[in-house]
Amino acid sequence: MASRGGALITATRGARRWLLRRSLSLATGVAVAVLAVVFVFPAAIVFAEAVLVDGTLSAAPIRGVLTDPFYVGALAEIFARPLAVGEHLRGLAGWARSGFPVPTFGLIGFTAYQALLSTVASVALGLPGAYVLARFEFPGRDLLRSLTILPFVLPGIMVAVGFFAMFSAGGPFNRLLGLVGLGPIDILFSLEVILLAHAFYNAPLVARLATAAWESVDARTVETARSLGASRRRAFLDVIVPQIAPAVLAGAVLTFVFTFRTFPIVLALGGLELATVEVWIYSRIRQLDLAGAAALAVVETAIAVAVLAIYLRFEARRYGAGRTPTPSERTPLVPSLRALVQPSRLAILAYGLVVAVVFVGPIASMIVESITGPSGLTLRYYAFLIDRQAEGAAFQVKPWPAVRNSLLFAGATLAIAVPTGVVVAVRRVRGGRGGVLLDALATAPLAVSGIVLGVGLLRGLVFGVPLPGGFRLQVTGVAAIVAAHAAAAYPFVVRNAAPAVGGVDRSLVESARSLGASRARALLDVELPLAIAGVVAGAAFAAAISIGEFNSTVILAEGGDAYTMPVAVERYLGDRTLGPATAMGTVLLAVTSASFVVIERVGGRY
Amino acid sequence: MKRRQYLATVGGAAGIGLSGCIASPGSSGSDEGTLTVATYDSFVESQSSLDAPATWLKDRFESEHEDVTIEWTNPDSGLNHYVQRAREGVEFDADVYLGVNVDDLIRADEQLEDSLFQDLDRGSVGNADSVKSELEFDPEGRLLPYDTGYISLVYDEGEVSGPETFDQLLDPAYEGTLLAQNAQQSDPGQAFLLWTINQFGEDGYLDYWRDLQDNDVRILGSWWDSYSAYSEGERPMVVSYSTDQVYANRDGLDMSRHQLGFLEDQGYANPEGMGVFADSERSELAHEFFDFVLSPAAQGQIATLNVQFPATTDADLNEEFDQYAHEPPETVFYGYEDLQGNLDGWVEDWAREIAG
């Protein structure tokens, strides 16, 4: 008996050891499988339409986009006759003779232009936030840091409502300007307000990535520089900037790619004059012109992938610095009342004002809408939510299932995307060419139009693949939704975790391995605790992505009961009042805030 | 129609599987007397204390037909959802679609070799006789109109005086006042565009829009985008529906902000139709349901709850609707033949003119 028990224990131990040893490969396998099913396959189905005409390979659809001046402006001539070099040179000379008028590059050119400006705006608004969060201590700092990415989960229409209310002629922004004798400024329906809305979504991303990097700047390196006689400014430029630059660049690239395929917000706040490529893709999809949509999407994706690829190559050279950071002490934000008049504190105060207008303002305006009826303050829209929960018909969307599903999907997304994403990050940092490929695969979903991917999911997974005998293999429902959320979350987990993991001294891992720890054990016991800030930030993003996701959720839910909070917000639009939708939007904000705080608290205990 | 499904779990490595499901072809055995009706979101969701139209129709029809159940479904992409399924040969379990616009129907016919809808036996839908003939939009009679909206301007009379003609909108007095919608994605946006084509012709409408742009018209995305901006007071005029005052009255709003502008004494009609999917085995029940939807009582309720005009001449309208919903003196409407082969080009040319 004893020996049999012993054998069992040995077998169990063996299995556990095997699992642990294999866990890295296993996690990699899960990541690849998830991406293959809910990203590569559906995207391929749609992209195939761009290169196949009646079943044979054809460049015609993509050529059609590239030679259309509406899409590419001045480049159309060049794409139409790439070999007529002489003529193009003559054209260039003529352009020079007429005094270099600003050329236009069509819809695609404008899309890239606004994405570039949005990136600049997001970095400009996000970076000071990172500085304040990383370098200063003040009450509520942790909470504020947790809530930075809240804008991420807000449905476009809610952001539009918030911006309309905040920046309208008689809104709080102009009243504020009036107080100091300025304004009124009408920024709605302009490129500026689109940039501001893009910054609303993406500056928090930049801030969050940069905060994590700034917090892990090694204080000793700064001290060394200072002790060698470097000025404060010199030390900042030579020591701190190189350490946070990769994170800022990551944030900037993600922002560019994100805003390059921006959709509903551009038309809601700007208008059709400021349309982007994605607007045309959406129109094609509505016309069921799949080939047209696919051709545009291929060009759009190619540009985004090119930007990502350049970045990933650049980033590869930055890893492996291998320090174990001694974080700097944070200075109190308000050490004394007199300190408030110092230039640095005044600058922070001014920045706080900007944050109040751009970030807090629209969100607060949306919440105010939810408690404002035709005749003043009211709770009737919340009463509507309760009523609907209690008495709604089975075919109607109810608030509680939406909350429950959102949390369930977010939890499951975390369970998949965080461990596997961290493994991808480790492979990326330590693993050479295979790691780069894996990272590229995990980042690619960011570059593909959500609308196009949605069609691919519908045709590939919901409609399914025909099997012999007239059967079809279909993949829908909860598991498919979670997989789609995980695929969308990978880029954020990897981008947040990779710098943190890369910052861990490689020799620590090697010592652990030489003392007999498996690779997985070393990851769990050495790298993870040291890189936890990045991993937690990645987890918060993963939750935000899952909670905010709309396109694939409605498609994969297939009209079933698997709807989430953003879906409920959308469904409660439709009457003339903003009330029910903004009330549901406020619930979405509250639930999401709570889950961010929980994630940070749990992560912080590591 | 309801397909049997075999559920299988493909074990996922992380312990969470992808549920693959294998649907079998053409197996029947559905519940007796269940009619699955597909429609758009706002028909099933109500944002006020009133019932959704879907709730009322279901309750009343089921109480009149003992063994019948009405099930509602509202796919996110509307009728396109079913067009795509039919094109790929994938079955679906909806019997009826409620809320087909003429452009939806044209698209379905263009995309599919066989019709998405079956022919109706109008003789068995007694109430179909009272449908206003000018709302019929399917030359083959597969669809029955059940309600209609009229697109008009809604304006704030405290800010602007009501415009009476299209040309007036080009006056300096109306500079920077109008909000419209992207015709690529919005029904009222498309209707307003077609209205201008009716006014200025195929060769003149783009010139008119250039002038409108010079007068700072704003073309936002969805009806919601533009109506929210209007509600926030951002502009004093918006392209919307002529039932606007019904909502304003219910919410006790200031009517001066909900005045209707029928340009050229016209409004553009946007009738919605219902039809039975070709593969439905519930044809008889569907015809009964349609007869019920067109009954005076149901037409009155649809007017109240969906806030659209009835499609029939003998609807039991309540006083509120009579008082606050306004029909334009003259109706503009492009039918199936006018739009077929033209619509996508008109919209594309227009959108390129605006965005280019």
Side-chain angles (χ1 to χ4, degrees):
Chain A
M1 282 296 278
S3 75
R4 256 171 63 193
L8 195 66
I9 290 168
T10 315
T12 319
R13 271 196 197 142
R16 270 179 53 191
R17 215 174 298 139
W18 182 87
L19 255 181
L20 201 59
R21 207 168 53 236
R22 293 271 161 221
S23 58
L24 256 58
S25 318
L26 218 59
T28 311
V30 171
V32 171
V34 162
L35 287 163
V37 174
V38 297
F39 169 65
V40 178
F41 171 58
I45 286 179
V46 183
F47 286 166
E49 298 278 336
V51 291
L52 290 176
V53 175
D54 298 328
T56 50
L57 271 180
S58 164
I62 293 175
R63 218 183 112 81
V65 170
L66 292 179
T67 55
D68 188 335
F70 174 71
Y71 293 129
V72 297
L75 298 179
E77 273 296 299
I78 297 174
F79 283 121
R81 286 169 305 150
L83 297 178
V85 177
E87 201 167 313
H88 298 320
L89 286 177
R90 274 196 296 282
L92 219 54
W95 176 59
R97 271 198 304 278
S98 49
F100 302 101
V102 179
T104 55
F105 298 106
L107 189 67
I108 295 175
F110 174 75
T111 307
Y113 172 69
Q114 62 80 28
L116 195 67
L117 293 181
S118 299
T119 306
V120 172
S122 303
V123 172
L125 276 175
L127 215 46
Y131 170 69
V132 174
L133 284 173
R135 299 294 302 122
F136 294 96
E137 194 57 69
F138 50 91
R141 192 194 75 95
D142 285 347
L143 181 67
L144 195 62
R145 199 186 54 169
S146 304
L147 298 185
T148 33
I149 53 174
L150 206 50
F152 242 62
V153 299
L154 276 180
I157 184 72
M158 290 296 106
V159 176
V161 165
F163 268 69
F164 284 147
M166 182 69 195
F167 294 105
S168 65
F173 172 65
N174 274 313
R175 285 209 297 273
L176 205 68
L177 284 182
L179 282 183
V180 289
L182 294 172
I185 305 178
D186 194 3
I187 63 160
L188 287 174
F189 315 132
S190 66
L191 180 59
E192 287 81 356
V193 78
I194 292 180
L195 302 183
L196 218 51
H198 285 163
F200 175 84
Y201 273 118
N202 294 292
L205 171 70
V206 175
R208 199 62 212 266
L209 282 164
T211 305
W214 216 317
E215 279 174 342
S216 57
V217 163
D218 196 340
R220 287 171 307 183
T221 56
V222 184
E223 282 157 20
T224 310
R226 295 278 285 151
S227 70
L228 290 172
S231 67
R232 203 175 267 279
R233 193 166 153 265
R234 219 10 331 132
F236 177 77
L237 287 176
D238 290 355
V239 179
I240 295 180
V241 169
Q243 293 190 59
I244 57 168
V248 176
L249 189 68
V253 167
L254 294 185
T255 301
F256 180 88
V257 172
F258 243 157
T259 52
F260 188 65
R261 60 175 182 78
T262 176
F263 181 51
I265 200 77
V266 191
L267 286 184
L269 289 175
L272 191 58
E273 280 96 341
L274 302 165
T276 54
V277 180
E278 197 78 350
V279 174
W280 250 257
I281 293 178
Y282 181 69
S283 164
R284 291 287 175 276
I285 294 286
R286 263 184 69 104
Q287 294 169 347
L288 297 178
D289 171 11
L290 209 52
L296 277 170
V298 164
V299 175
E300 184 196 55
T301 304
I303 294 169
V305 163
V307 172
L308 280 175
I310 293 168
Y311 161 70
L312 288 176
R313 275 194 69 82
F314 170 83
E315 189 194 45
R317 284 189 255 133
R318 319 219 45 126
Y319 287 137
R323 308 159 315 269
T324 305
T326 314
S328 316
E329 285 287 308
R330 282 186 284 269
T331 39
L333 187 62
V334 190
S336 66
L337 277 179
R338 271 181 59 197
L340 276 177
V341 293
Q342 286 170 2
S344 68
R345 299 303 194 276
L346 285 176
I348 292 171
L349 202 68
Y351 175 72
L353 212 62
V354 172
V355 167
V357 168
V358 178
F359 299 95
V360 182
I363 292 180
S365 302
M366 192 207 82
I367 296 172
V368 169
E369 284 288 342
S370 77
I371 50 169
T372 310
S375 44
L377 280 185
T378 177
L379 286 175
R380 65 196 248 196
Y381 304 122
Y382 292 91
F384 163 82
L385 293 184
I386 292 168
D387 256 18
R388 176 58 74 87
Q389 179 60 39
E391 286 162 27
F395 52 83
Q396 292 176 324
V397 164
K398 293 180 185 156
W400 167 242
V403 172
R404 189 194 56 211
N405 288 339
S406 281
L407 291 176
L408 200 73
F409 296 162
T413 301
L414 285 181
I416 296 180
V418 172
T420 56
V422 169
V423 168
V424 171
V426 170
R427 298 234 137 137
R428 168 77 175 95
V429 173
R430 314 255 194 245
R433 188 167 284 273
V436 176
L437 270 179
L438 196 60
D439 188 17
L441 177 68
T443 311
L446 209 61
V448 177
S449 147
I451 298 164
V452 163
L453 195 61
V455 173
L457 289 170
L458 182 71
R459 291 167 58 109
L461 303 189
V462 176
F463 292 178
V465 183
L467 296 177
F471 289 86
R472 302 185 78 93
L473 176 66
Q474 298 168 323
V475 183
T476 60
V478 172
I481 292 173
V482 171
H485 288 188
Y490 277 132
F492 298 91
V493 177
V494 176
R495 291 279 81 69
N496 277 283
V501 173
V504 173
D505 197 335
R506 178 167 280 207
S507 63
L508 288 179
V509 179
E510 277 154 15
S511 335
R513 294 297 305 271
S514 70
L515 291 171
S518 67
R519 184 66 190 88
R521 179 55 65 199
L523 171 63
L524 277 178
D525 290 352
V526 179
E527 284 162 305
L528 207 54
L530 288 172
I532 194 66
V535 176
V536 171
F541 273 110
I545 291 288
S546 170
I547 293 175
E549 214 287 332
F550 183 84
N551 276 343
S552 23
T553 310
V554 284
I555 287 165
L556 293 170
E558 261 272 84
D561 296 332
Y563 52 82
T564 57
M565 291 189 282
V567 177
V569 169
E570 177 96 2
R571 290 281 153 86
Y572 291 158
L573 293 170
D575 215 324
R576 293 301 193 272
T577 159
L578 293 163
T582 48
M584 191 64 216
T586 306
V587 170
L588 163 69
L589 277 177
V591 172
T592 311
S593 305
S595 49
F596 285 169
V597 170
V598 168
I599 288 171
E600 306 265 347
R601 286 283 146 80
V602 170
R605 280 168 46 193
Y606 235 92
Chain B
M1 279 298 289
K2 191 154 185 176
R3 57 178 193 252
R4 252 184 317 160
Q5 292 182 339
Y6 300 91
L7 284 170
T9 302
V10 183
I16 293 179
L18 290 176
S19 58
C21 85
I22 299 186
S24 75
S27 50
S28 60
S30 48
D31 316 2
E32 272 306 311
T34 297
L35 187 73
T36 305
V37 186
T39 187
Y40 49 89
D41 289 348
S42 64
F43 206 81
V44 300
E45 305 284 357
S46 156
Q47 280 73 37
S48 61
S49 52
L50 295 172
D51 274 344
T55 312
W56 189 90
L57 290 175
K58 176 184 163 75
D59 291 352
R60 182 60 69 93
F61 191 69
E62 285 175 359
S63 74
E64 288 174 12
H65 300 75
E66 230 170 73
D67 296 323
V68 170
T69 308
I70 299 287
E71 280 188 4
W72 293 96
T73 178
N74 45 325
D76 198 52
S77 53
L79 190 69
N80 272 355
H81 181 85
Y82 298 102
V83 177
Q84 292 182 79
R85 281 187 171 258
R87 199 175 58 182
E88 301 301 317
V90 185
E91 292 200 334
F92 49 83
D93 46 15
D95 298 296
V96 164
Y97 196 94
L98 205 132
V100 185
N101 289 135
V102 60
D103 55 319
D104 297 327
L105 182 66
I106 292 171
R107 181 149 307 129
D109 286 346
E110 278 169 0
Q111 293 276 331
L112 302 172
E113 289 190 4
D114 302 320
S115 174
L116 184 62
F117 297 103
Q118 48 181 267
D119 288 332
L120 285 183
D121 172 18
R122 292 198 171 219
S124 70
V125 185
N127 287 319
D129 294 342
S130 44
V131 170
K132 298 173 185 167
S133 60
E134 70 267 23
L135 296 179
E136 296 273 3
F137 59 85
D138 179 12
E140 294 176 42
R142 294 160 294 176
L143 297 178
L144 268 170
Y146 66 87
D147 72 9
T148 186
Y150 295 101
I151 279 66
S152 70
L153 300 184
V154 170
Y155 67 92
D156 178 351
E157 67 183 356
E159 298 272 330
V160 288
S161 57
E164 286 166 5
T165 65
F166 277 102
D167 284 329
Q168 269 181 11
L169 291 180
L170 306 178
D171 289 349
Y174 292 100
E175 188 181 342
T177 54
L178 181 61
L179 288 167
Q181 302 87 16
N182 181 7
Q184 294 173 320
Q185 67 181 99
S186 148
D187 285 343
Q190 183 183 296
F192 188 64
L193 172 64
L194 292 174
W195 194 0
T196 63
I197 295 176
N198 177 71
Q199 181 71 22
F200 298 100
E202 239 183 299
D203 302 322
Y205 80 103
L206 291 179
D207 289 331
Y208 177 72
W209 277 94
R210 259 190 294 274
D211 294 340
L212 261 189
Q213 262 191 303
D214 288 344
N215 217 22
D216 197 18
V217 64
R218 274 296 144 180
I219 299 141
L220 303 188
S222 63
W223 174 85
W224 246 100
D225 297 339
S226 56
Y227 203 86
S228 313
Y230 176 76
S231 304
E232 294 293 341
E234 194 45 39
R235 292 253 167 137
M237 210 155 52
V238 63
V239 173
S240 188
Y241 295 92
S242 70
T243 45
D244 194 71
Q245 295 187 353
V246 177
Y247 293 100
N249 172 57
R250 285 180 192 172
D251 283 336
L253 300 179
D254 177 2
M255 278 298 168
S256 71
R257 296 211 65 227
H258 297 272
Q259 294 299 305
L260 299 179
F262 291 121
L263 297 173
E264 318 285 345
D265 276 337
Q266 296 169 342
Y268 195 95
N270 189 33
E272 301 188 292
M274 53 191 176
V276 191
F277 285 123
D279 288 341
S280 170
E281 289 158 11
R282 293 269 171 277
S283 184
E284 206 175 313
L285 185 55
H287 280 77
E288 258 179 80
F289 181 67
F290 286 180
D291 195 42
F292 164 73
V293 170
L294 295 175
S295 66
Q299 283 287 298
Q301 284 297 324
I302 288 175
T304 305
L305 301 176
N306 205 30
V307 197
Q308 298 268 356
F309 290 89
T312 57
T313 49
D314 56 0
D316 288 337
L317 291 175
N318 67 16
E319 228 171 85
E320 174 209 41
F321 197 85
D322 257 352
Q323 189 181 346
Y324 293 107
H326 300 284
E327 266 180 284
E330 188 193 332
T331 300
V332 180
F333 177 58
Y334 277 123
Y336 191 100
E337 282 95 352
D338 306 315
L339 296 179
Q340 192 184 23
N342 291 325
L343 180 63
D344 284 352
W346 286 344
V347 172
E348 179 74 13
D349 290 347
W350 170 83
R352 284 180 175 230
E353 179 65 43
I354 302 294

